[in-house]
Amino acid sequence: INAEYGDTDCGTMALPPSIMAELRAFVDMATQHPQIWDSPELEFFRSYLGSTFGLHPNDFQRAAEEAPEVGHGEPHAPGGPHHGHGHGHTQPPHGHSHGGAPCHGHGHAPPQGHGHGHGHAPPPSRPTPSATAPPSATKEQLDAVALAEAALANAHTKVEQTIQEVQQSLESEFPTSTSGDIPADCDALPSDIPEWSEALDSQVCAAKEAASEALGKADYATAAQRYTDAIKLQPSAMTIAKRAQCFIKIGCAEAALRDASAALEMNPDSPAANKARAHAYLLMGQYEDAMHACQFANQLDYDDAIYQIQKTLESALSSVVSAKAERENCEKQLAHAQKVAQQAELRARREQEQAAEQEQMFGGKGGKGGAPPPGGMGGMPPELMAVMADPEVAALLQNPKIAQAFQEIMSNGMGAMEKYQSDPEVMQAMMTIQTKVMGAKGGGGKGMGGPGMGKGGKGW
């Protein structure tokens, strides 16, 4: 990356396609084979995800251990047949999803070639409680998620109702028409174009003159046929746009949009083609697309009639824009509430795991509390005695604060660590001792019985 882009701010540069392809391939592999999260080669990546996104190493281990056996079909009911060739998907450890659908803003040209029947994507479905109500979240956090879900559901309903009301209002002012009959011989655009010649040019001019005469008589079907004659010989953005205008006059909205889009492919800045596209959207009842088309057409070449249509559409659709903005805000609020609740669950799980690790380190037998044996260190298991002889541990225990903390843990259980949670020096020292104890035990096994250690103590 550095060789190709230099020391560029990664937030503003595009990654090389080869890097993106490899990353997508890895994500696909991790989705289908979560066991790879337990691979030693991914230690650097797990460390990065942990430090950046707060993931605990046990999260990756759990994802690997809970992964289903790899198959070649979609999940099916127990005892039922196994059909299909898809792959089941396993969620990555503690991922968060954010919903939300973008909406068009004022001043942006709509995509060209937008045909009839291309509706907007349906709004995201309301999240299920199982996906947004972690069991370890507080009541306040769960209430916040439930309120955000309800607000988003209401916002979805409001958008749908507003669109329906505005649609009905605009249809009374701009009636739709998509059932007009295309005149005979007005085929789609030709694929083979004859070579230019003076004789051919004369035929094109004659066809255009005949079309103009028909337009003067408001004979739009004949005009479309004569423009078709010219297009077959010598297609141009202007001629195609004029035929689109004829189709609009006779109510052939889809054919008009087809021609307008084809003309814009040849000349995106054609005023006639942009105006024809705006009128085609109006005839099809796609009023939001029509508004954007009018805005763009007037940016290229102001037309008072197009401007009046634009202002009418903007006024009517302002309530839709407002409703969509409200829905987008509700989506953001729900995403935030979900994130807070999921983080609470993650913290609770991590505390439980750390408590289990500490009990395994110091032992889970015996009652909580009680005074240490004479000398403060007697009665320790051989493994712990060996760790105490380690020069690094001995040096740590020379610090009175660390020695006191260690003594309190040995005497009162893991609950004694609560008051040291905000002391990084003590916490780091305890983690160092823990690592050495686990190493002395061979990396696992049951906890060692320390004096005064109770199985009810909380971890750190």
Side-chain angles (χ1 to χ4, degrees):
I1 294 176
N2 289 337
E4 184 172 353
Y5 292 94
D7 295 332
T8 308
D9 180 8
C10 290
T12 59
M13 75 178 187
L15 291 174
S18 58
I19 297 287
M20 292 303 300
E22 293 177 0
L23 181 57
R24 289 191 183 95
F26 171 77
V27 170
D28 290 341
M29 181 185 297
T31 301
Q32 299 178 23
H33 307 284
Q35 297 88 345
I36 67 172
W37 286 112
D38 207 23
S39 174
E41 291 83 353
L42 290 179
E43 174 59 32
F44 76 98
F45 193 33
R46 293 193 296 268
S47 176
Y48 164 75
L49 293 175
S51 61
T52 305
F53 302 104
L55 296 177
H56 191 268
N58 288 336
D59 296 330
F60 299 102
Q61 183 178 1
R62 185 181 301 103
E65 292 174 351
E66 295 179 357
E69 294 185 3
V70 178
H72 298 283
E74 298 176 353
H76 54 283
H82 194 165
H83 299 291
H85 300 280
H87 297 279
H89 296 284
T90 301
Q91 294 294 335
H94 301 286
H96 304 291
S97 64
H98 301 279
C103 59
H104 294 293
H106 293 283
H108 297 287
Q112 298 178 9
H114 194 143
H116 175 61
H118 292 200
H120 297 284
S125 58
R126 178 176 176 178
T128 59
S130 61
T132 60
S136 299
T138 65
K139 182 179 183 302
E140 291 76 10
Q141 292 166 344
L142 296 180
D143 288 344
V145 172
L147 288 174
E149 289 177 341
L152 180 56
N154 291 335
H156 280 311
T157 301
K158 183 178 179 179
V159 169
E160 294 170 359
Q161 291 177 344
T162 304
I163 290 176
Q164 184 177 6
E165 293 171 358
V166 170
Q167 189 80 9
Q168 292 174 349
S169 173
L170 288 174
E171 284 178 355
S172 64
E173 187 165 358
F174 302 105
T176 61
S177 175
T178 58
S179 58
D181 295 327
I182 299 178
D185 300 326
C186 289
D187 303 325
L189 300 176
S191 56
D192 297 327
I193 302 172
E195 294 184 4
W196 183 89
S197 65
E198 290 186 2
L200 182 143
D201 193 55
S202 298
Q203 294 178 39
V204 171
C205 291
K208 290 181 179 180
E209 289 178 2
S212 297
E213 291 179 4
L215 283 176
K217 301 176 183 178
D219 186 357
Y220 302 112
T222 301
Q225 292 173 328
R226 300 293 77 80
Y227 280 130
T228 300
D229 294 338
I231 291 170
K232 290 180 178 179
L233 297 174
Q234 194 178 71
S236 67
M238 177 59 73
T239 307
I240 297 172
K242 287 185 176 180
R243 187 175 73 168
Q245 294 171 348
C246 293
F247 287 149
I248 291 169
K249 292 293 186 179
I250 57 181
C252 300
E254 294 183 2
L257 183 59
R258 177 201 65 196
D259 276 10
S261 299
L264 289 171
E265 289 181 3
M266 301 174 68
N267 180 12
D269 295 331
S270 167
N274 278 285
K275 294 173 186 177
R277 180 174 62 178
H279 283 291
Y281 280 138
L282 275 180
L283 278 180
M284 298 171 70
Q286 297 179 207
Y287 297 116
E288 192 170 353
D289 291 329
M291 178 186 69
H292 296 310
C294 288
Q295 291 168 342
F296 188 67
N298 272 324
Q299 289 176 4
L300 295 174
D301 181 35
Y302 177 80
D303 182 284
D304 188 63
I306 292 292
Y307 178 73
Q308 294 304 319
I309 295 174
Q310 173 187 329
K311 298 305 293 182
T312 300
L313 294 175
E314 287 176 346
S315 177
L317 292 168
S318 61
S319 58
V320 175
V321 174
S322 177
K324 288 184 176 181
E326 181 180 344
R327 181 180 65 184
E328 183 177 358
N329 184 55
C330 290
E331 290 168 346
K332 292 179 180 178
Q333 291 179 351
L334 175 58
H336 175 72
Q338 290 173 343
K339 183 176 181 181
V340 170
Q342 289 166 345
Q343 286 176 341
E345 179 192 22
L346 181 61
R347 284 194 300 268
R349 183 183 297 117
R350 188 174 303 167
E351 289 173 359
Q352 294 172 358
E353 292 167 348
Q354 290 175 340
E357 291 173 358
Q358 294 308 316
E359 286 204 28
Q360 187 180 36
M361 168 184 171
F362 292 108
K365 306 291 184 180
K368 181 176 179 180
M377 293 294 180
M380 289 187 295
E383 297 92 337
L384 189 55
M385 291 294 294
V387 170
M388 295 300 101
D390 185 284
E392 183 179 2
V393 174
L396 290 173
L397 294 177
Q398 292 298 316
N399 185 324
K401 179 171 64 173
I402 294 176
Q404 179 182 356
F406 183 77
Q407 182 69 24
E408 291 181 3
I409 294 174
M410 295 294 295
S411 301
N412 302 321
M414 298 312 301
M417 282 306 300
E418 292 181 359
K419 72 177 188 179
Y420 294 105
Q421 290 289 339
S422 60
D423 191 327
E425 183 181 12
V426 172
M427 296 301 295
Q428 181 61 43
M430 295 301 105
M431 291 301 295
T432 298
I433 295 174
Q434 176 196 16
T435 302
K436 290 184 177 294
V437 170
M438 299 301 291
K441 293 165 59 180
K446 295 184 178 180
M448 297 170 291
M453 289 300 298
K455 62 182 179 180
K458 294 182 178 181
W460 37 277

Short mmCIF file of all heavy atoms in Angstrom, two decimals, residues 119-161:
data_model
loop_
_atom_site.label_atom_id
_atom_site.label_comp_id
_atom_site.label_asym_id
_atom_site.label_seq_id
_atom_site.Cartn_x
_atom_site.Cartn_y
_atom_site.Cartn_z
N GLY A 119 -39.06 0.16 -7.80
CA GLY A 119 -39.47 0.84 -6.57
C GLY A 119 -38.31 1.00 -5.63
O GLY A 119 -37.19 0.59 -5.88
N HIS A 120 -38.58 1.63 -4.51
CA HIS A 120 -37.56 1.80 -3.48
C HIS A 120 -37.49 0.55 -2.63
O HIS A 120 -38.45 -0.18 -2.47
CB HIS A 120 -37.91 3.01 -2.61
CG HIS A 120 -37.91 4.29 -3.40
ND1 HIS A 120 -36.76 4.92 -3.78
CD2 HIS A 120 -38.93 5.04 -3.89
CE1 HIS A 120 -37.06 6.02 -4.45
NE2 HIS A 120 -38.37 6.10 -4.53
N ALA A 121 -36.32 0.31 -2.04
CA ALA A 121 -36.13 -0.87 -1.20
C ALA A 121 -37.03 -0.77 0.01
O ALA A 121 -37.24 0.30 0.54
CB ALA A 121 -34.67 -0.97 -0.76
N PRO A 122 -37.59 -1.90 0.45
CA PRO A 122 -38.48 -1.85 1.62
C PRO A 122 -37.71 -1.45 2.85
O PRO A 122 -36.51 -1.69 2.95
CB PRO A 122 -38.98 -3.31 1.71
CG PRO A 122 -37.94 -4.12 1.02
CD PRO A 122 -37.40 -3.24 -0.08
N PRO A 123 -38.36 -0.81 3.81
CA PRO A 123 -37.67 -0.38 5.02
C PRO A 123 -37.18 -1.58 5.81
O PRO A 123 -37.74 -2.67 5.72
CB PRO A 123 -38.75 0.39 5.80
CG PRO A 123 -40.04 -0.16 5.28
CD PRO A 123 -39.78 -0.49 3.84
N PRO A 124 -36.09 -1.41 6.56
CA PRO A 124 -35.57 -2.53 7.34
C PRO A 124 -36.59 -3.01 8.34
O PRO A 124 -37.33 -2.23 8.92
CB PRO A 124 -34.32 -1.94 8.03
CG PRO A 124 -34.54 -0.46 8.01
CD PRO A 124 -35.33 -0.19 6.76
N SER A 125 -36.63 -4.33 8.53
CA SER A 125 -37.62 -4.89 9.46
C SER A 125 -37.25 -4.55 10.89
O SER A 125 -36.09 -4.32 11.21
CB SER A 125 -37.66 -6.41 9.29
OG SER A 125 -36.38 -6.97 9.52
N ARG A 126 -38.27 -4.54 11.74
CA ARG A 126 -38.06 -4.20 13.14
C ARG A 126 -37.23 -5.27 13.81
O ARG A 126 -37.49 -6.47 13.66
CB ARG A 126 -39.41 -4.08 13.83
CG ARG A 126 -39.29 -3.76 15.32
CD ARG A 126 -40.66 -3.58 15.92
NE ARG A 126 -40.56 -3.37 17.35
CZ ARG A 126 -41.62 -3.14 18.12
NH1 ARG A 126 -42.82 -3.06 17.59
NH2 ARG A 126 -41.48 -2.97 19.42
N PRO A 127 -36.16 -4.91 14.55
CA PRO A 127 -35.29 -5.90 15.17
C PRO A 127 -36.08 -6.75 16.17
O PRO A 127 -36.98 -6.26 16.84
CB PRO A 127 -34.21 -5.06 15.87
CG PRO A 127 -34.28 -3.72 15.22
CD PRO A 127 -35.71 -3.55 14.78
N THR A 128 -35.71 -8.01 16.26
CA THR A 128 -36.37 -8.90 17.22
C THR A 128 -35.75 -8.69 18.59
O THR A 128 -34.58 -8.33 18.72
CB THR A 128 -36.16 -10.36 16.79
OG1 THR A 128 -34.75 -10.63 16.73
CG2 THR A 128 -36.78 -10.62 15.44
N PRO A 129 -36.53 -8.94 19.67
CA PRO A 129 -36.00 -8.74 21.02
C PRO A 129 -34.75 -9.56 21.29
O PRO A 129 -33.86 -9.12 22.00
CB PRO A 129 -37.17 -9.18 21.91
CG PRO A 129 -38.39 -8.98 21.08
CD PRO A 129 -37.95 -9.28 19.67
N SER A 130 -34.66 -10.77 20.72
CA SER A 130 -33.50 -11.60 20.97
C SER A 130 -32.23 -10.97 20.42
O SER A 130 -31.14 -11.24 20.91
CB SER A 130 -33.69 -12.98 20.33
OG SER A 130 -33.86 -12.86 18.92
N ALA A 131 -32.37 -10.11 19.40
CA ALA A 131 -31.19 -9.50 18.82
C ALA A 131 -30.83 -8.21 19.51
O ALA A 131 -29.73 -7.71 19.35
CB ALA A 131 -31.42 -9.23 17.33
N THR A 132 -31.74 -7.64 20.29
CA THR A 132 -31.48 -6.33 20.86
C THR A 132 -31.65 -6.29 22.37
O THR A 132 -31.61 -5.22 22.95
CB THR A 132 -32.43 -5.30 20.24
OG1 THR A 132 -33.78 -5.69 20.52
CG2 THR A 132 -32.22 -5.20 18.74
N ALA A 133 -31.88 -7.42 23.02
CA ALA A 133 -32.08 -7.41 24.46
C ALA A 133 -31.13 -8.40 25.12
O ALA A 133 -31.53 -9.50 25.51
CB ALA A 133 -33.53 -7.77 24.79
N PRO A 134 -29.85 -8.05 25.25
CA PRO A 134 -28.89 -8.95 25.88
C PRO A 134 -29.31 -9.23 27.33
O PRO A 134 -29.77 -8.33 28.03
CB PRO A 134 -27.57 -8.16 25.83
CG PRO A 134 -27.77 -7.15 24.76
CD PRO A 134 -29.23 -6.81 24.80
N PRO A 135 -29.15 -10.46 27.80
CA PRO A 135 -29.63 -10.81 29.14
C PRO A 135 -28.89 -10.06 30.24
O PRO A 135 -29.43 -9.91 31.33
CB PRO A 135 -29.37 -12.32 29.21
CG PRO A 135 -28.32 -12.59 28.17
CD PRO A 135 -28.57 -11.60 27.08
N SER A 136 -27.66 -9.62 30.01
CA SER A 136 -26.89 -8.95 31.05
C SER A 136 -27.07 -7.45 31.06
O SER A 136 -26.47 -6.77 31.88
CB SER A 136 -25.39 -9.28 30.89
OG SER A 136 -25.18 -10.67 31.01
N ALA A 137 -27.87 -6.90 30.14
CA ALA A 137 -28.09 -5.47 30.12
C ALA A 137 -29.00 -5.08 31.27
O ALA A 137 -29.80 -5.87 31.76
CB ALA A 137 -28.71 -5.05 28.79
N THR A 138 -28.90 -3.83 31.71
CA THR A 138 -29.73 -3.34 32.80
C THR A 138 -31.15 -3.09 32.30
O THR A 138 -31.41 -3.02 31.10
CB THR A 138 -29.16 -2.05 33.38
OG1 THR A 138 -29.24 -1.02 32.36
CG2 THR A 138 -27.71 -2.24 33.80
N LYS A 139 -32.08 -2.95 33.25
CA LYS A 139 -33.46 -2.67 32.88
C LYS A 139 -33.56 -1.36 32.11
O LYS A 139 -34.33 -1.25 31.15
CB LYS A 139 -34.34 -2.62 34.13
CG LYS A 139 -35.82 -2.38 33.84
CD LYS A 139 -36.63 -2.36 35.12
CE LYS A 139 -38.11 -2.19 34.81
NZ LYS A 139 -38.39 -0.95 34.06
N GLU A 140 -32.80 -0.36 32.53
CA GLU A 140 -32.83 0.92 31.83
C GLU A 140 -32.36 0.79 30.40
O GLU A 140 -32.93 1.39 29.47
CB GLU A 140 -31.96 1.95 32.57
CG GLU A 140 -32.51 2.39 33.92
CD GLU A 140 -32.30 1.35 35.02
OE1 GLU A 140 -31.56 0.37 34.76
OE2 GLU A 140 -32.88 1.51 36.11
N GLN A 141 -31.31 -0.03 30.19
CA GLN A 141 -30.80 -0.22 28.84
C GLN A 141 -31.79 -0.99 27.97
O GLN A 141 -31.98 -0.66 26.80
CB GLN A 141 -29.45 -0.95 28.90
CG GLN A 141 -28.34 -0.11 29.51
CD GLN A 141 -27.12 -0.93 29.88
OE1 GLN A 141 -27.19 -2.16 29.96
NE2 GLN A 141 -26.01 -0.26 30.11
N LEU A 142 -32.44 -2.00 28.56
CA LEU A 142 -33.45 -2.75 27.81
C LEU A 142 -34.65 -1.88 27.48
O LEU A 142 -35.23 -1.98 26.39
CB LEU A 142 -33.89 -3.97 28.61
CG LEU A 142 -32.81 -5.03 28.89
CD1 LEU A 142 -33.40 -6.17 29.70
CD2 LEU A 142 -32.21 -5.55 27.61
N ASP A 143 -35.03 -1.02 28.43
CA ASP A 143 -36.14 -0.10 28.17
C ASP A 143 -35.79 0.86 27.04
O ASP A 143 -36.63 1.20 26.20
CB ASP A 143 -36.48 0.69 29.43
CG ASP A 143 -37.15 -0.18 30.49
OD1 ASP A 143 -37.62 -1.28 30.13
OD2 ASP A 143 -37.19 0.23 31.66
N ALA A 144 -34.52 1.31 27.01
CA ALA A 144 -34.09 2.23 25.95
C ALA A 144 -34.17 1.56 24.59
O ALA A 144 -34.59 2.16 23.59
CB ALA A 144 -32.67 2.73 26.23
N VAL A 145 -33.78 0.27 24.53
CA VAL A 145 -33.87 -0.47 23.26
C VAL A 145 -35.33 -0.62 22.84
O VAL A 145 -35.68 -0.42 21.67
CB VAL A 145 -33.20 -1.85 23.39
CG1 VAL A 145 -33.48 -2.70 22.15
CG2 VAL A 145 -31.70 -1.70 23.59
N ALA A 146 -36.19 -0.98 23.80
CA ALA A 146 -37.61 -1.18 23.47
C ALA A 146 -38.25 0.12 22.99
O ALA A 146 -39.03 0.13 22.03
CB ALA A 146 -38.35 -1.71 24.70
N LEU A 147 -37.92 1.24 23.64
CA LEU A 147 -38.46 2.53 23.21
C LEU A 147 -37.97 2.90 21.82
O LEU A 147 -38.74 3.42 20.98
CB LEU A 147 -38.08 3.61 24.22
CG LEU A 147 -38.79 3.55 25.58
CD1 LEU A 147 -38.21 4.59 26.53
CD2 LEU A 147 -40.29 3.78 25.42
N ALA A 148 -36.69 2.64 21.55
CA ALA A 148 -36.13 2.95 20.23
C ALA A 148 -36.77 2.09 19.15
O ALA A 148 -37.03 2.56 18.04
CB ALA A 148 -34.61 2.77 20.24
N GLU A 149 -37.04 0.82 19.47
CA GLU A 149 -37.71 -0.06 18.50
C GLU A 149 -39.11 0.45 18.20
O GLU A 149 -39.54 0.47 17.03
CB GLU A 149 -37.78 -1.48 19.06
CG GLU A 149 -36.45 -2.21 19.09
CD GLU A 149 -36.56 -3.59 19.71
OE1 GLU A 149 -37.55 -3.84 20.42
OE2 GLU A 149 -35.67 -4.41 19.48
N ALA A 150 -39.82 0.84 19.24
CA ALA A 150 -41.18 1.35 19.03
C ALA A 150 -41.18 2.63 18.22
O ALA A 150 -42.01 2.83 17.33
CB ALA A 150 -41.86 1.58 20.39
N ALA A 151 -40.21 3.51 18.51
CA ALA A 151 -40.13 4.77 17.76
C ALA A 151 -39.82 4.52 16.29
O ALA A 151 -40.38 5.17 15.40
CB ALA A 151 -39.05 5.67 18.39
N LEU A 152 -38.94 3.55 16.02
CA LEU A 152 -38.60 3.24 14.63
C LEU A 152 -39.79 2.62 13.91
O LEU A 152 -40.04 2.94 12.74
CB LEU A 152 -37.41 2.29 14.58
CG LEU A 152 -36.93 1.88 13.18
CD1 LEU A 152 -36.61 3.10 12.33
CD2 LEU A 152 -35.72 0.95 13.27
N ALA A 153 -40.54 1.75 14.59
CA ALA A 153 -41.73 1.17 13.97
C ALA A 153 -42.74 2.26 13.62
O ALA A 153 -43.34 2.25 12.54
CB ALA A 153 -42.35 0.14 14.90
N ASN A 154 -42.93 3.21 14.52
CA ASN A 154 -43.84 4.32 14.25
C ASN A 154 -43.34 5.18 13.09
O ASN A 154 -44.13 5.67 12.27
CB ASN A 154 -44.01 5.18 15.50
CG ASN A 154 -44.77 4.46 16.60
OD1 ASN A 154 -45.56 3.56 16.33
ND2 ASN A 154 -44.53 4.83 17.84
N ALA A 155 -42.01 5.36 13.03
CA ALA A 155 -41.44 6.16 11.95
C ALA A 155 -41.63 5.49 10.60
O ALA A 155 -41.91 6.14 9.59
CB ALA A 155 -39.96 6.42 12.21
N HIS A 156 -41.48 4.16 10.56
CA HIS A 156 -41.73 3.41 9.32
C HIS A 156 -43.18 3.62 8.87
O HIS A 156 -43.46 3.88 7.69
CB HIS A 156 -41.48 1.92 9.54
CG HIS A 156 -40.03 1.54 9.47
ND1 HIS A 156 -39.21 1.93 8.45
CD2 HIS A 156 -39.27 0.78 10.30
CE1 HIS A 156 -37.99 1.43 8.66
NE2 HIS A 156 -38.01 0.74 9.77
N THR A 157 -44.09 3.50 9.83
CA THR A 157 -45.52 3.66 9.50
C THR A 157 -45.80 5.07 8.99
O THR A 157 -46.55 5.25 8.02
CB THR A 157 -46.37 3.36 10.74
OG1 THR A 157 -46.11 2.03 11.20
CG2 THR A 157 -47.85 3.51 10.43
N LYS A 158 -45.18 6.04 9.62
CA LYS A 158 -45.41 7.43 9.22
C LYS A 158 -44.91 7.68 7.80
O LYS A 158 -45.56 8.38 7.01
CB LYS A 158 -44.72 8.38 10.20
CG LYS A 158 -44.95 9.85 9.89
CD LYS A 158 -44.29 10.74 10.93
CE LYS A 158 -44.52 12.23 10.60
NZ LYS A 158 -43.90 13.11 11.61
N VAL A 159 -43.74 7.13 7.46
CA VAL A 159 -43.20 7.30 6.11
C VAL A 159 -44.16 6.69 5.09
O VAL A 159 -44.47 7.30 4.06
CB VAL A 159 -41.80 6.66 5.99
CG1 VAL A 159 -41.36 6.59 4.53
CG2 VAL A 159 -40.78 7.47 6.80
N GLU A 160 -44.63 5.47 5.35
CA GLU A 160 -45.52 4.80 4.41
C GLU A 160 -46.83 5.58 4.24
O GLU A 160 -47.33 5.75 3.12
CB GLU A 160 -45.80 3.38 4.91
CG GLU A 160 -44.57 2.47 4.89
CD GLU A 160 -44.80 1.17 5.62
OE1 GLU A 160 -45.93 0.99 6.13
OE2 GLU A 160 -43.89 0.33 5.67
N GLN A 161 -47.39 6.04 5.35
CA GLN A 161 -48.65 6.79 5.27
C GLN A 161 -48.45 8.12 4.55
O GLN A 161 -49.30 8.53 3.74
CB GLN A 161 -49.20 7.03 6.67
CG GLN A 161 -49.68 5.77 7.37
CD GLN A 161 -50.15 6.04 8.79
OE1 GLN A 161 -49.86 7.09 9.37
NE2 GLN A 161 -50.87 5.09 9.37
#
